[in-house]
Amino acid sequence: MEVTSLRMGNNIYDIQNNDNMLKCLVAQHRDYSLGKRANAYKSFLTIAFAVLAIVASLVDNEVLSAISCLYAIIISIMNRHIDGYVVKQKKHAASIQQYFDVTLFSSAIGNSTCDWGGLPTKTDIAESICDIRSSETTPVRDWYSDYSTLSPTEQVFRCQQSNIRWDAKLRSEFKWLIVISSSAILLLLVCIAIAVNPTFVKCISVLSWILPIADFSFGYYDGLHKDMKRLEELKRQSNIVERALPNREACEAEIINLQTLIMESREAAVLIPDWYYNKRQSTHQRKENRIADTIQTMSAEGGEEK
């Protein structure tokens, strides 16, 4: 891909608010949201048919009980197809986000976007953002905190650090929400199966729903656990970059490698529902701004001591 024409300076905090750059953020958010919506359908179908199994256990209808067992199998198959769609949306969203980051970071540092590995073409990006109005970009302004007093290379690194930090915090919190809510649902099903004094078929009807719900819950939990392990590796890599900051050439190579790992993590990561993401975003952003202010103050004080 050719070198980007975005040459507005090396202050990331300012150049990130270029109109087309902001539209990229809106586009990637839309793609992620489509994947999250598919996950929501998957959750709804699983829980809705679990309710069917419960109803079947409460009424004297063996046919309905048998149908609910069949639906349990069908939903498990449908979930696999939904998973494939979600993977596709994640990869496309991650590629747009990578375009945003690399275009921004290469402009700040002054190198070529070609140095950062494969990116979507300008045509791909244009197709993704052409229908987005400028008025829709307001919520994504000032995506990264203000590190403008630092060197361009360190600005890039601090933005990467904030991505890793936010992802790790979000997923750690959501993992426990999944554990608690899934355990409560599974316990409720078992209690109902026992309490209604069902026949063998009715009991199997209810308990058969433990499998798809457990499969869904474990898949989510296992995905979040793998996300956390990847993020731990990213944090280890970021520590290497931070130690290399005084050496610009060595640091830039490490930053590019770190960015590739961040993109791969985004492609593989479990999608966190928008309602939870939005609930935590403002709190996270305030903390990131405080971290940015503290780092800049420490850097200024360190410079004065030399």
Side-chain angles (χ1 to χ4, degrees):
M1 184 175 177
E2 59 188 290
V3 180
T4 178
S5 60
L6 182 63
R7 287 287 181 258
M8 300 169 60
N10 56 14
N11 184 342
I12 287 177
Y13 190 67
D14 292 333
I15 63 179
Q16 67 180 336
N17 289 322
N18 170 275
D19 189 55
N20 283 334
M21 295 286 280
L22 293 175
K23 288 179 179 180
C24 286
L25 289 177
V26 175
Q28 61 89 15
H29 179 72
R30 284 183 176 179
D31 276 353
Y32 278 129
S33 292
L34 287 172
K36 293 174 184 181
R37 196 174 303 160
N39 272 341
Y41 292 150
K42 178 179 174 179
S43 303
F44 173 79
L45 289 172
T46 301
I47 295 173
F49 286 114
V51 172
L52 173 63
I54 293 172
V55 172
S57 71
L58 297 175
V59 299
D60 188 19
N61 191 324
E62 301 290 347
V63 174
L64 186 59
S65 297
I67 289 175
S68 70
C69 293
L70 177 61
Y71 277 144
I73 299 172
I74 294 174
I75 291 302
S76 295
I77 296 172
M78 288 180 62
N79 284 348
R80 296 294 180 266
H81 290 285
I82 292 175
D83 288 343
Y85 173 78
V86 171
V87 168
K88 179 181 177 181
Q89 290 303 123
K90 282 196 300 184
K91 287 188 174 182
H92 191 252
S95 71
I96 297 175
Q97 197 164 2
Q98 181 75 345
Y99 180 90
F100 171 84
D101 281 345
V102 168
T103 303
L104 184 64
F105 296 163
S106 65
S107 180
I109 293 176
N111 62 4
S112 168
T113 55
C114 298
D115 298 334
W116 297 72
L119 292 175
T121 65
K122 287 184 178 179
T123 300
D124 291 336
I125 295 299
E127 290 175 352
S128 297
I129 70 174
C130 64
D131 295 325
I132 298 173
R133 299 185 300 273
S134 296
S135 59
E136 298 177 67
T137 64
T138 301
V140 296
R141 293 185 66 84
D142 300 335
W143 186 257
Y144 290 119
S145 299
D146 186 1
Y147 288 102
S148 56
T149 64
L150 305 179
S151 70
T153 302
E154 187 168 358
Q155 287 182 49
V156 170
F157 168 67
R158 297 301 177 184
C159 291
Q160 291 176 319
Q161 249 189 346
S162 70
N163 283 328
I164 298 169
R165 190 163 45 236
W166 163 233
D167 240 8
K169 180 68 173 175
L170 187 70
R171 293 173 193 288
S172 177
E173 294 173 345
F174 194 70
K175 180 175 70 173
W176 289 110
L177 180 62
I178 288 294
V179 170
I180 294 170
S181 59
S182 299
S183 298
I185 292 173
L186 290 173
L187 180 60
L188 177 63
L189 281 178
V190 172
C191 290
I192 291 174
I194 296 172
V196 297
N197 191 26
T199 63
F200 176 76
V201 174
K202 289 182 179 180
C203 185
I204 294 299
S205 173
V206 175
L207 294 181
S208 67
W209 276 100
I210 291 180
L211 180 61
I213 291 178
D215 179 60
F216 174 78
S217 301
F218 177 77
Y220 224 125
Y221 178 86
D222 186 55
L224 288 168
H225 180 70
K226 289 177 180 177
D227 290 349
M228 295 302 298
K229 291 188 69 174
R230 279 193 300 269
L231 289 164
E232 286 174 7
E233 174 62 20
L234 284 174
K235 186 176 180 180
R236 189 184 70 82
Q237 290 293 330
S238 75
N239 290 337
I240 294 174
V241 176
E242 190 159 12
R243 287 191 288 268
L245 281 174
N247 184 338
R248 173 174 173 172
E249 290 186 4
C251 183
E252 286 187 11
E254 294 293 347
I255 281 175
I256 290 173
N257 179 58
L258 182 61
Q259 187 61 36
T260 299
L261 294 176
I262 289 173
M263 182 191 68
E264 291 173 352
S265 179
R266 286 169 175 164
E267 288 180 337
V270 170
L271 293 178
I272 305 298
D274 278 337
W275 66 266
Y276 190 80
Y277 176 91
N278 294 333
K279 178 180 176 61
R280 301 297 299 152
Q281 185 178 26
S282 58
T283 300
H284 161 74
Q285 191 59 56
R286 287 194 297 270
K287 183 173 182 180
E288 284 300 320
N289 290 341
R290 291 195 299 270
I291 291 172
D293 291 341
T294 302
I295 287 175
Q296 290 186 103
T297 300
M298 293 172 66
S299 296
E301 291 172 349
E304 290 172 2
E305 291 172 1
K306 293 180 179 178

Short mmCIF file of all heavy atoms in Angstrom, two decimals, residues 216-269:
data_model
loop_
_atom_site.label_atom_id
_atom_site.label_comp_id
_atom_site.label_asym_id
_atom_site.label_seq_id
_atom_site.Cartn_x
_atom_site.Cartn_y
_atom_site.Cartn_z
N PHE A 216 -22.39 -22.81 25.54
CA PHE A 216 -22.33 -21.38 25.25
C PHE A 216 -21.53 -20.64 26.31
O PHE A 216 -20.64 -19.83 26.00
CB PHE A 216 -23.76 -20.81 25.18
CG PHE A 216 -23.82 -19.32 25.04
CD1 PHE A 216 -23.59 -18.72 23.81
CD2 PHE A 216 -24.10 -18.51 26.12
CE1 PHE A 216 -23.65 -17.34 23.67
CE2 PHE A 216 -24.16 -17.14 26.00
CZ PHE A 216 -23.94 -16.56 24.77
N SER A 217 -21.81 -20.94 27.58
CA SER A 217 -21.14 -20.24 28.69
C SER A 217 -19.66 -20.58 28.75
O SER A 217 -18.81 -19.69 28.91
CB SER A 217 -21.80 -20.61 30.02
OG SER A 217 -23.16 -20.27 30.01
N PHE A 218 -19.35 -21.89 28.61
CA PHE A 218 -17.94 -22.29 28.66
C PHE A 218 -17.17 -21.70 27.48
O PHE A 218 -16.02 -21.29 27.64
CB PHE A 218 -17.81 -23.81 28.67
CG PHE A 218 -16.38 -24.28 28.65
CD1 PHE A 218 -15.62 -24.24 29.81
CD2 PHE A 218 -15.79 -24.73 27.47
CE1 PHE A 218 -14.29 -24.65 29.79
CE2 PHE A 218 -14.46 -25.13 27.45
CZ PHE A 218 -13.71 -25.10 28.62
N GLY A 219 -17.81 -21.67 26.30
CA GLY A 219 -17.14 -21.09 25.13
C GLY A 219 -16.79 -19.63 25.36
O GLY A 219 -15.70 -19.17 25.02
N TYR A 220 -17.72 -18.90 25.97
CA TYR A 220 -17.48 -17.48 26.27
C TYR A 220 -16.36 -17.34 27.29
O TYR A 220 -15.44 -16.53 27.14
CB TYR A 220 -18.76 -16.85 26.81
CG TYR A 220 -19.08 -15.50 26.23
CD1 TYR A 220 -20.31 -15.25 25.63
CD2 TYR A 220 -18.17 -14.46 26.30
CE1 TYR A 220 -20.62 -14.01 25.10
CE2 TYR A 220 -18.47 -13.21 25.76
CZ TYR A 220 -19.68 -12.99 25.17
OH TYR A 220 -19.97 -11.76 24.65
N TYR A 221 -16.45 -18.14 28.38
CA TYR A 221 -15.45 -18.06 29.44
C TYR A 221 -14.07 -18.45 28.91
O TYR A 221 -13.07 -17.78 29.19
CB TYR A 221 -15.85 -18.95 30.61
CG TYR A 221 -14.83 -18.95 31.72
CD1 TYR A 221 -14.87 -17.98 32.73
CD2 TYR A 221 -13.83 -19.93 31.78
CE1 TYR A 221 -13.92 -17.97 33.74
CE2 TYR A 221 -12.88 -19.92 32.79
CZ TYR A 221 -12.94 -18.94 33.77
OH TYR A 221 -12.00 -18.94 34.77
N ASP A 222 -14.03 -19.55 28.16
CA ASP A 222 -12.75 -20.02 27.63
C ASP A 222 -12.15 -18.99 26.68
O ASP A 222 -10.93 -18.76 26.69
CB ASP A 222 -12.96 -21.35 26.90
CG ASP A 222 -11.65 -21.97 26.43
OD1 ASP A 222 -10.76 -22.17 27.28
OD2 ASP A 222 -11.52 -22.25 25.22
N GLY A 223 -13.01 -18.36 25.87
CA GLY A 223 -12.52 -17.32 24.97
C GLY A 223 -11.93 -16.14 25.73
O GLY A 223 -10.87 -15.61 25.37
N LEU A 224 -12.61 -15.72 26.79
CA LEU A 224 -12.10 -14.62 27.61
C LEU A 224 -10.80 -15.00 28.31
O LEU A 224 -9.89 -14.17 28.45
CB LEU A 224 -13.16 -14.22 28.65
CG LEU A 224 -14.39 -13.50 28.09
CD1 LEU A 224 -15.49 -13.41 29.14
CD2 LEU A 224 -14.02 -12.10 27.60
N HIS A 225 -10.71 -16.25 28.74
CA HIS A 225 -9.47 -16.71 29.39
C HIS A 225 -8.30 -16.66 28.39
O HIS A 225 -7.19 -16.23 28.75
CB HIS A 225 -9.67 -18.14 29.90
CG HIS A 225 -8.46 -18.71 30.58
ND1 HIS A 225 -8.02 -18.26 31.81
CD2 HIS A 225 -7.59 -19.69 30.20
CE1 HIS A 225 -6.94 -18.93 32.16
NE2 HIS A 225 -6.66 -19.80 31.20
N LYS A 226 -8.54 -17.08 27.16
CA LYS A 226 -7.49 -17.03 26.14
C LYS A 226 -7.14 -15.58 25.82
O LYS A 226 -5.96 -15.26 25.58
CB LYS A 226 -7.96 -17.76 24.88
CG LYS A 226 -8.04 -19.27 25.06
CD LYS A 226 -8.58 -19.95 23.81
CE LYS A 226 -8.66 -21.46 24.01
NZ LYS A 226 -9.25 -22.14 22.83
N ASP A 227 -8.16 -14.71 25.80
CA ASP A 227 -7.90 -13.29 25.58
C ASP A 227 -6.94 -12.74 26.63
O ASP A 227 -6.01 -12.00 26.32
CB ASP A 227 -9.21 -12.48 25.64
CG ASP A 227 -10.11 -12.73 24.45
OD1 ASP A 227 -9.65 -13.36 23.48
OD2 ASP A 227 -11.28 -12.31 24.50
N MET A 228 -7.19 -13.11 27.89
CA MET A 228 -6.36 -12.62 28.98
C MET A 228 -4.92 -13.11 28.84
O MET A 228 -3.97 -12.36 29.12
CB MET A 228 -6.93 -13.07 30.33
CG MET A 228 -8.30 -12.47 30.65
SD MET A 228 -8.29 -10.66 30.66
CE MET A 228 -7.13 -10.34 31.99
N LYS A 229 -4.73 -14.33 28.39
CA LYS A 229 -3.37 -14.85 28.20
C LYS A 229 -2.66 -14.09 27.08
O LYS A 229 -1.47 -13.77 27.20
CB LYS A 229 -3.43 -16.35 27.88
CG LYS A 229 -3.89 -17.22 29.04
CD LYS A 229 -3.75 -18.70 28.73
CE LYS A 229 -2.29 -19.11 28.66
NZ LYS A 229 -2.14 -20.59 28.52
N ARG A 230 -3.39 -13.79 26.00
CA ARG A 230 -2.78 -13.01 24.92
C ARG A 230 -2.42 -11.61 25.40
O ARG A 230 -1.37 -11.07 25.05
CB ARG A 230 -3.74 -12.92 23.73
CG ARG A 230 -3.76 -14.13 22.83
CD ARG A 230 -4.48 -13.83 21.53
NE ARG A 230 -5.86 -13.44 21.77
CZ ARG A 230 -6.88 -14.29 21.82
NH1 ARG A 230 -6.67 -15.59 21.65
NH2 ARG A 230 -8.10 -13.87 22.03
N LEU A 231 -3.29 -11.03 26.20
CA LEU A 231 -3.04 -9.68 26.70
C LEU A 231 -1.87 -9.65 27.68
O LEU A 231 -1.15 -8.65 27.76
CB LEU A 231 -4.31 -9.12 27.35
CG LEU A 231 -5.42 -8.77 26.34
CD1 LEU A 231 -6.76 -8.60 27.05
CD2 LEU A 231 -5.06 -7.51 25.56
N GLU A 232 -1.68 -10.72 28.41
CA GLU A 232 -0.51 -10.81 29.29
C GLU A 232 0.77 -10.81 28.46
O GLU A 232 1.77 -10.19 28.83
CB GLU A 232 -0.59 -12.08 30.14
CG GLU A 232 -1.62 -12.00 31.27
CD GLU A 232 -1.77 -13.32 32.00
OE1 GLU A 232 -0.98 -14.26 31.72
OE2 GLU A 232 -2.68 -13.43 32.85
N GLU A 233 0.72 -11.52 27.33
CA GLU A 233 1.88 -11.52 26.43
C GLU A 233 2.09 -10.13 25.82
O GLU A 233 3.23 -9.67 25.68
CB GLU A 233 1.68 -12.57 25.33
CG GLU A 233 2.75 -12.57 24.24
CD GLU A 233 4.15 -12.88 24.77
OE1 GLU A 233 4.27 -13.45 25.87
OE2 GLU A 233 5.11 -12.54 24.06
N LEU A 234 1.00 -9.47 25.47
CA LEU A 234 1.11 -8.11 24.94
C LEU A 234 1.71 -7.16 25.98
O LEU A 234 2.52 -6.29 25.64
CB LEU A 234 -0.27 -7.60 24.51
CG LEU A 234 -0.82 -8.15 23.20
CD1 LEU A 234 -2.25 -7.68 22.97
CD2 LEU A 234 0.06 -7.72 22.03
N LYS A 235 1.31 -7.34 27.22
CA LYS A 235 1.88 -6.50 28.28
C LYS A 235 3.37 -6.76 28.43
O LYS A 235 4.17 -5.83 28.63
CB LYS A 235 1.17 -6.77 29.61
CG LYS A 235 1.61 -5.84 30.72
CD LYS A 235 0.82 -6.07 32.00
CE LYS A 235 1.29 -5.11 33.10
NZ LYS A 235 0.52 -5.32 34.35
N ARG A 236 3.77 -8.02 28.31
CA ARG A 236 5.20 -8.36 28.39
C ARG A 236 5.96 -7.70 27.24
O ARG A 236 7.04 -7.14 27.43
CB ARG A 236 5.38 -9.88 28.33
CG ARG A 236 6.81 -10.34 28.62
CD ARG A 236 6.94 -11.84 28.46
NE ARG A 236 6.85 -12.24 27.06
CZ ARG A 236 7.87 -12.18 26.20
NH1 ARG A 236 9.05 -11.72 26.60
NH2 ARG A 236 7.70 -12.56 24.96
N GLN A 237 5.36 -7.74 26.03
CA GLN A 237 5.99 -7.09 24.88
C GLN A 237 6.06 -5.58 25.06
O GLN A 237 7.03 -4.94 24.66
CB GLN A 237 5.21 -7.44 23.61
CG GLN A 237 5.32 -8.88 23.16
CD GLN A 237 6.72 -9.23 22.68
OE1 GLN A 237 7.46 -8.40 22.17
NE2 GLN A 237 7.11 -10.49 22.87
N SER A 238 5.02 -5.00 25.67
CA SER A 238 5.02 -3.55 25.87
C SER A 238 6.11 -3.13 26.84
O SER A 238 6.67 -2.03 26.73
CB SER A 238 3.64 -3.07 26.36
OG SER A 238 3.43 -3.40 27.72
N ASN A 239 6.42 -4.00 27.81
CA ASN A 239 7.52 -3.70 28.73
C ASN A 239 8.85 -3.66 27.99
O ASN A 239 9.73 -2.84 28.30
CB ASN A 239 7.57 -4.75 29.85
CG ASN A 239 6.41 -4.63 30.81
OD1 ASN A 239 5.79 -3.57 30.94
ND2 ASN A 239 6.08 -5.72 31.49
N ILE A 240 8.99 -4.55 27.00
CA ILE A 240 10.20 -4.55 26.18
C ILE A 240 10.31 -3.24 25.40
O ILE A 240 11.39 -2.63 25.31
CB ILE A 240 10.20 -5.75 25.21
CG1 ILE A 240 10.29 -7.06 25.99
CG2 ILE A 240 11.34 -5.65 24.20
CD1 ILE A 240 10.14 -8.31 25.14
N VAL A 241 9.18 -2.80 24.84
CA VAL A 241 9.17 -1.55 24.08
C VAL A 241 9.52 -0.37 24.99
O VAL A 241 10.31 0.51 24.61
CB VAL A 241 7.79 -1.31 23.43
CG1 VAL A 241 7.76 0.04 22.73
CG2 VAL A 241 7.47 -2.42 22.43
N GLU A 242 8.96 -0.35 26.18
CA GLU A 242 9.20 0.78 27.08
C GLU A 242 10.68 0.89 27.44
O GLU A 242 11.22 2.00 27.55
CB GLU A 242 8.36 0.64 28.34
CG GLU A 242 8.37 1.88 29.22
CD GLU A 242 7.19 1.94 30.16
OE1 GLU A 242 6.48 0.93 30.32
OE2 GLU A 242 6.97 3.01 30.75
N ARG A 243 11.33 -0.25 27.63
CA ARG A 243 12.76 -0.22 27.93
C ARG A 243 13.59 0.25 26.73
O ARG A 243 14.71 0.74 26.89
CB ARG A 243 13.23 -1.60 28.38
CG ARG A 243 12.77 -1.97 29.79
CD ARG A 243 13.48 -3.22 30.29
NE ARG A 243 13.01 -4.41 29.61
CZ ARG A 243 12.01 -5.18 30.04
NH1 ARG A 243 11.37 -4.85 31.16
NH2 ARG A 243 11.63 -6.25 29.37
N ALA A 244 13.02 0.09 25.51
CA ALA A 244 13.74 0.48 24.29
C ALA A 244 13.48 1.92 23.88
O ALA A 244 14.05 2.40 22.90
CB ALA A 244 13.36 -0.46 23.14
N LEU A 245 12.61 2.63 24.60
CA LEU A 245 12.22 3.98 24.21
C LEU A 245 13.40 4.94 23.96
O LEU A 245 13.35 5.75 23.02
CB LEU A 245 11.28 4.59 25.25
CG LEU A 245 9.81 4.14 25.18
CD1 LEU A 245 9.01 4.70 26.34
CD2 LEU A 245 9.18 4.56 23.86
N PRO A 246 14.47 4.89 24.76
CA PRO A 246 15.59 5.81 24.49
C PRO A 246 16.25 5.60 23.14
O PRO A 246 16.88 6.50 22.58
CB PRO A 246 16.57 5.51 25.64
CG PRO A 246 15.72 4.95 26.73
CD PRO A 246 14.67 4.15 26.01
N ASN A 247 16.15 4.38 22.59
CA ASN A 247 16.75 4.07 21.30
C ASN A 247 15.64 4.09 20.24
O ASN A 247 14.91 3.12 20.09
CB ASN A 247 17.42 2.69 21.35
CG ASN A 247 18.15 2.35 20.06
OD1 ASN A 247 17.87 2.90 18.99
ND2 ASN A 247 19.09 1.42 20.16
N ARG A 248 15.51 5.19 19.52
CA ARG A 248 14.36 5.37 18.62
C ARG A 248 14.26 4.27 17.56
O ARG A 248 13.18 3.73 17.34
CB ARG A 248 14.44 6.74 17.94
CG ARG A 248 13.36 6.90 16.88
CD ARG A 248 13.29 8.26 16.27
NE ARG A 248 12.33 8.26 15.16
CZ ARG A 248 11.94 9.34 14.52
NH1 ARG A 248 12.38 10.52 14.88
NH2 ARG A 248 11.08 9.25 13.52
N GLU A 249 15.37 3.94 16.89
CA GLU A 249 15.31 2.96 15.81
C GLU A 249 14.89 1.58 16.34
O GLU A 249 14.02 0.92 15.76
CB GLU A 249 16.67 2.86 15.11
CG GLU A 249 17.01 4.11 14.28
CD GLU A 249 18.29 3.91 13.48
OE1 GLU A 249 18.84 2.79 13.51
OE2 GLU A 249 18.73 4.87 12.83
N ALA A 250 15.47 1.15 17.45
CA ALA A 250 15.10 -0.14 18.03
C ALA A 250 13.66 -0.11 18.52
O ALA A 250 12.91 -1.08 18.38
CB ALA A 250 16.05 -0.48 19.18
N CYS A 251 13.25 1.03 19.07
CA CYS A 251 11.91 1.16 19.61
C CYS A 251 10.86 1.09 18.50
O CYS A 251 9.82 0.46 18.67
CB CYS A 251 11.79 2.48 20.37
SG CYS A 251 10.20 2.71 21.16
N GLU A 252 11.11 1.73 17.38
CA GLU A 252 10.14 1.72 16.28
C GLU A 252 9.90 0.31 15.77
O GLU A 252 8.76 -0.06 15.46
CB GLU A 252 10.61 2.65 15.16
CG GLU A 252 10.45 4.13 15.49
CD GLU A 252 10.76 5.02 14.30
OE1 GLU A 252 10.90 4.50 13.18
OE2 GLU A 252 10.86 6.25 14.51
N ALA A 253 10.95 -0.49 15.69
CA ALA A 253 10.79 -1.87 15.23
C ALA A 253 9.93 -2.65 16.22
O ALA A 253 9.06 -3.45 15.83
CB ALA A 253 12.17 -2.53 15.08
N GLU A 254 10.16 -2.44 17.51
CA GLU A 254 9.38 -3.12 18.54
C GLU A 254 7.92 -2.65 18.54
O GLU A 254 7.00 -3.43 18.76
CB GLU A 254 10.01 -2.90 19.92
CG GLU A 254 11.38 -3.53 20.10
CD GLU A 254 11.32 -5.04 20.09
OE1 GLU A 254 10.23 -5.61 20.18
OE2 GLU A 254 12.40 -5.66 19.98
N ILE A 255 7.71 -1.35 18.27
CA ILE A 255 6.36 -0.79 18.22
C ILE A 255 5.56 -1.41 17.07
O ILE A 255 4.38 -1.75 17.24
CB ILE A 255 6.42 0.75 18.09
CG1 ILE A 255 6.70 1.37 19.46
CG2 ILE A 255 5.12 1.30 17.52
CD1 ILE A 255 6.89 2.87 19.41
N ILE A 256 6.20 -1.56 15.93
CA ILE A 256 5.53 -2.17 14.77
C ILE A 256 5.16 -3.62 15.09
O ILE A 256 4.06 -4.08 14.77
CB ILE A 256 6.42 -2.08 13.52
CG1 ILE A 256 6.51 -0.62 13.06
CG2 ILE A 256 5.88 -2.97 12.40
CD1 ILE A 256 7.50 -0.38 11.93
N ASN A 257 6.08 -4.34 15.72
CA ASN A 257 5.79 -5.73 16.11
C ASN A 257 4.64 -5.79 17.11
O ASN A 257 3.74 -6.64 17.00
CB ASN A 257 7.04 -6.36 16.72
CG ASN A 257 6.80 -7.79 17.18
OD1 ASN A 257 6.42 -8.66 16.39
ND2 ASN A 257 7.00 -8.04 18.46
N LEU A 258 4.64 -4.87 18.07
CA LEU A 258 3.58 -4.82 19.07
C LEU A 258 2.22 -4.54 18.42
O LEU A 258 1.21 -5.14 18.79
CB LEU A 258 3.89 -3.75 20.12
CG LEU A 258 2.89 -3.60 21.27
CD1 LEU A 258 2.80 -4.90 22.07
CD2 LEU A 258 3.31 -2.44 22.18
N GLN A 259 2.21 -3.66 17.42
CA GLN A 259 0.96 -3.33 16.75
C GLN A 259 0.39 -4.53 15.99
O GLN A 259 -0.83 -4.74 15.96
CB GLN A 259 1.17 -2.15 15.78
CG GLN A 259 -0.10 -1.62 15.14
CD GLN A 259 -1.08 -1.09 16.17
OE1 GLN A 259 -0.69 -0.52 17.18
NE2 GLN A 259 -2.37 -1.26 15.92
N THR A 260 1.27 -5.33 15.41
CA THR A 260 0.83 -6.56 14.73
C THR A 260 0.18 -7.52 15.73
O THR A 260 -0.87 -8.11 15.45
CB THR A 260 2.03 -7.26 14.06
OG1 THR A 260 2.60 -6.37 13.08
CG2 THR A 260 1.59 -8.54 13.36
N LEU A 261 0.77 -7.63 16.91
CA LEU A 261 0.22 -8.51 17.95
C LEU A 261 -1.13 -7.98 18.45
O LEU A 261 -2.04 -8.76 18.74
CB LEU A 261 1.20 -8.63 19.11
CG LEU A 261 2.53 -9.33 18.81
CD1 LEU A 261 3.44 -9.29 20.04
CD2 LEU A 261 2.29 -10.77 18.38
N ILE A 262 -1.26 -6.67 18.53
CA ILE A 262 -2.53 -6.06 18.96
C ILE A 262 -3.63 -6.38 17.95
O ILE A 262 -4.76 -6.72 18.32
CB ILE A 262 -2.38 -4.54 19.14
CG1 ILE A 262 -1.53 -4.24 20.38
CG2 ILE A 262 -3.74 -3.86 19.26
CD1 ILE A 262 -1.17 -2.77 20.55
N MET A 263 -3.31 -6.27 16.66
CA MET A 263 -4.30 -6.58 15.62
C MET A 263 -4.72 -8.06 15.70
O MET A 263 -5.91 -8.37 15.61
CB MET A 263 -3.75 -6.28 14.23
CG MET A 263 -4.77 -6.53 13.12
SD MET A 263 -4.07 -6.49 11.45
CE MET A 263 -3.04 -7.95 11.46
N GLU A 264 -3.76 -8.94 15.88
CA GLU A 264 -4.07 -10.37 15.97
C GLU A 264 -4.94 -10.66 17.19
O GLU A 264 -5.84 -11.51 17.14
CB GLU A 264 -2.77 -11.18 16.04
CG GLU A 264 -1.98 -11.15 14.73
CD GLU A 264 -0.62 -11.81 14.86
OE1 GLU A 264 -0.23 -12.16 16.01
OE2 GLU A 264 0.07 -11.98 13.83
N SER A 265 -4.69 -9.95 18.26
CA SER A 265 -5.51 -10.11 19.47
C SER A 265 -6.94 -9.64 19.21
O SER A 265 -7.90 -10.28 19.65
CB SER A 265 -4.89 -9.33 20.62
OG SER A 265 -5.67 -9.43 21.79
N ARG A 266 -7.09 -8.54 18.50
CA ARG A 266 -8.43 -8.02 18.19
C ARG A 266 -9.20 -9.01 17.31
O ARG A 266 -10.41 -9.20 17.49
CB ARG A 266 -8.30 -6.68 17.46
CG ARG A 266 -7.90 -5.52 18.37
CD ARG A 266 -7.55 -4.31 17.54
NE ARG A 266 -7.27 -3.14 18.37
CZ ARG A 266 -6.65 -2.05 17.94
NH1 ARG A 266 -6.24 -1.97 16.68
NH2 ARG A 266 -6.44 -1.03 18.76
N GLU A 267 -8.52 -9.62 16.35
CA GLU A 267 -9.19 -10.58 15.46
C GLU A 267 -9.70 -11.80 16.22
O GLU A 267 -10.75 -12.36 15.87
CB GLU A 267 -8.22 -11.03 14.37
CG GLU A 267 -7.92 -9.97 13.33
CD GLU A 267 -6.95 -10.47 12.27
OE1 GLU A 267 -6.19 -11.42 12.57
OE2 GLU A 267 -6.93 -9.91 11.16
N ALA A 268 -8.97 -12.21 17.24
CA ALA A 268 -9.31 -13.44 17.95
C ALA A 268 -10.18 -13.20 19.19
O ALA A 268 -10.78 -14.13 19.71
CB ALA A 268 -8.03 -14.17 18.36
N ALA A 269 -10.25 -11.96 19.65
CA ALA A 269 -10.86 -11.66 20.94
C ALA A 269 -12.38 -11.90 20.94
O ALA A 269 -13.06 -11.71 19.93
CB ALA A 269 -10.58 -10.22 21.35
#
